Amino acid sequence: MGTAPGPEGAGPLQKDSKVAVVKVQAVGAAPKQVTMKGLYFQQSSTSEEITFVFQERENLPVTEDNYVKLQVKACALSQINTKLLTEMKMEKDFFPVGREVAGIVLDVGSKVSFFQPGDEVAGILPLDSEDPGLCEAVRVHEHYLVHKPEKVAWTEAAGTIRDGVRAYTALHYLSHLSPGKSVLIMDGASALGTIAIQLAHHRGAKVISTACSLEDKQCLERCRPSIVRLYSKDDEPAVKLQLLPHKHDIITLLGVGGHWVTTEENLQLDPPDSHCLYLKGATVAFLNDEVWNLSNVQQGKYLCILKDVMEKLSTGVFRPQLDEPIPLYEAKVTMEVVQKNQGRKKQVVQF
């Protein structure tokens, strides 16, 4: 029996030699797939309760033309509107968690024009995102991102961007706030309330706010410029009643041509309420910041808002109320607290 030809320049391969065969198999072996942990939630089919779970996911490369791959440096936690997801017919076994992100661009698709690898960016993942922001890396369309100023911290960028969008939507696009106007901001010491107060002051408005506790009141009293005080210390009741204002109280407070912006999606107006609004020429508007991503026509305005939020963070106009950053392994427990609306300051996961 003759000898088999070996690799070029290696001479003939002896029939009893198995070393070369082993080497060929090793070279042809498939590389091990890299995986990452991401946080997801699963909604019970019998109730509105949801369960948060960590799952392993593949570190997929960028494949879509207009998408970028982002190394997440920080992700803020917000309540998940499960009712909205149901109404939008978004049915999945597991939904990704975490949408307000800041990070570094790792890779870009062939048609990406605004970013390149190494850029520091921030943005809000869309409702139908396949990737959770609470993961080491995500893929996102470039039209949901803006550049992050170098002096803005990762946690501040992620922790402010959504509340900034909500404040802009309420004060600029829904109520058309201008210098010299008066604005009442409910629960001003909350994460959203703080940003709304700072934006209203920046626009030259006179700000009035409500407080839910003594700690919140002291926080509001430290605001600069100061917030209008409508009572003296002698007027404070001995027992604090945690009551929300009735809709009639709010309508009564509205001035001629005033605007009431609310997040109460089930608000019901009775005929006397409508008549009072009619007499004042006042309006009621509903704040739903998700509308910016429901139509491509609004994409330009939306990106302008994101850019302005980053700019105001950089210049110190926005000073967010953030809790201490938490690591990824604590995100599940913290998200359960956030979902129950039990926290006051904004929770941010830092990678």
Side-chain angles (χ1 to χ4, degrees):
M1 183 175 179
T3 58
E8 185 178 351
L13 177 66
Q14 301 300 324
K15 74 174 182 177
D16 293 334
S17 175
K18 298 182 181 179
V19 176
V21 175
V22 173
K23 284 186 177 181
V24 170
Q25 290 177 340
V27 171
K32 185 177 180 180
Q33 178 66 52
V34 178
T35 61
M36 302 175 293
K37 275 189 177 182
L39 188 65
Y40 295 79
F41 80 88
Q42 185 177 29
Q43 187 168 2
S44 171
S45 58
T46 58
S47 68
E48 294 185 357
E49 293 186 1
I50 61 178
T51 304
F52 295 97
V53 293
F54 277 109
Q55 286 192 332
E56 294 286 343
R57 58 187 298 269
E58 294 181 353
N59 183 12
L60 299 175
V62 173
T63 54
E64 294 86 351
D65 292 338
N66 294 101
Y67 279 70
V68 304
K69 184 177 180 181
L70 189 67
Q71 178 189 356
V72 180
K73 303 295 289 185
C75 178
L77 308 183
S78 295
Q79 273 187 308
I80 298 168
N81 190 339
T82 56
K83 183 178 180 181
L84 179 61
L85 293 174
T86 302
E87 291 175 345
M88 297 290 293
K89 308 298 183 183
M90 295 183 179
E91 299 179 358
K92 302 178 184 178
D93 292 333
F94 293 92
F95 288 86
V97 177
R99 296 172 56 201
E100 302 130 80
V101 297
I104 302 174
V105 175
L106 296 176
D107 195 10
V108 298
S110 60
K111 294 185 178 180
V112 171
S113 56
F114 296 120
F115 306 102
Q116 58 185 1
D119 285 350
E120 297 184 356
V121 299
I124 304 175
L125 304 184
L127 275 173
D128 59 353
S129 173
E130 296 291 334
D131 298 344
L134 287 170
C135 190
E136 294 178 6
V138 298
R139 292 164 301 165
V140 57
H141 195 286
E142 65 172 335
H143 289 168
Y144 295 109
L145 300 172
V146 293
H147 287 93
K148 179 189 76 69
E150 186 177 353
K151 64 186 297 184
V152 174
W154 297 112
T155 53
E156 289 184 345
T160 309
I161 193 163
R162 187 175 184 186
D163 286 333
V165 169
R166 299 180 77 192
Y168 260 92
T169 305
L171 298 179
H172 181 71
Y173 289 99
L174 297 180
S175 60
H176 311 289
L177 188 66
S178 58
K181 296 287 185 67
S182 296
V183 56
L184 170 62
I185 296 175
M186 310 300 294
D187 196 10
S190 64
L192 171 59
T194 300
I195 297 300
I197 288 174
Q198 292 165 359
L199 180 59
H201 274 150
H202 181 71
R203 289 184 173 271
K206 181 190 299 182
V207 180
I208 308 167
S209 185
T210 63
C212 297
S213 65
L214 178 61
E215 182 181 357
D216 286 354
K217 185 171 75 70
Q218 292 172 343
C219 176
L220 292 172
E221 288 174 343
R222 292 193 294 267
C223 287
R224 293 293 180 271
S226 60
I227 297 175
V228 176
R229 187 187 184 100
L230 298 181
Y231 59 89
S232 66
K233 292 185 178 181
D234 297 334
D235 297 327
E236 296 183 9
V239 179
K240 303 291 185 181
L241 299 178
Q242 303 298 321
L243 299 176
L244 293 174
H246 192 271
K247 59 185 176 183
H248 180 72
D249 299 329
I250 296 178
I251 293 174
T252 303
L253 287 172
L254 288 174
V256 174
H259 307 279
W260 176 16
V261 180
T262 178
T263 59
E264 181 53 61
E265 59 188 66
N266 297 317
L267 178 67
Q268 180 178 341
L269 293 178
D270 300 319
D273 300 325
S274 299
H275 183 64
C276 186
L277 289 169
Y278 165 75
L279 292 176
K280 295 183 176 187
T283 63
V284 177
F286 294 90
L287 175 59
N288 176 15
D289 55 294
E290 301 294 351
V291 297
W292 291 110
N293 294 322
L294 298 181
S295 171
N296 291 332
V297 176
Q298 304 292 335
Q299 196 66 42
K301 292 181 180 179
Y302 178 65
L303 288 176
C304 285
I305 295 175
L306 296 184
K307 292 176 182 178
D308 209 44
V309 171
M310 290 296 106
E311 180 185 342
K312 284 180 169 49
L313 268 175
S314 178
T315 57
V317 173
F318 285 160
R319 302 174 301 282
Q321 296 283 345
L322 306 179
D323 214 333
E324 290 295 322
I326 60 174
L328 179 60
Y329 65 84
E330 292 183 7
K332 177 179 179 293
V333 176
T334 306
M335 193 62 211
E336 291 171 351
V337 174
V338 171
Q339 189 64 21
K340 295 176 182 177
N341 199 24
Q342 295 177 343
R344 295 297 290 163
K345 293 183 178 181
K346 196 75 172 181
Q347 302 288 340
V348 182
V349 173
Q350 187 172 27
F351 291 80

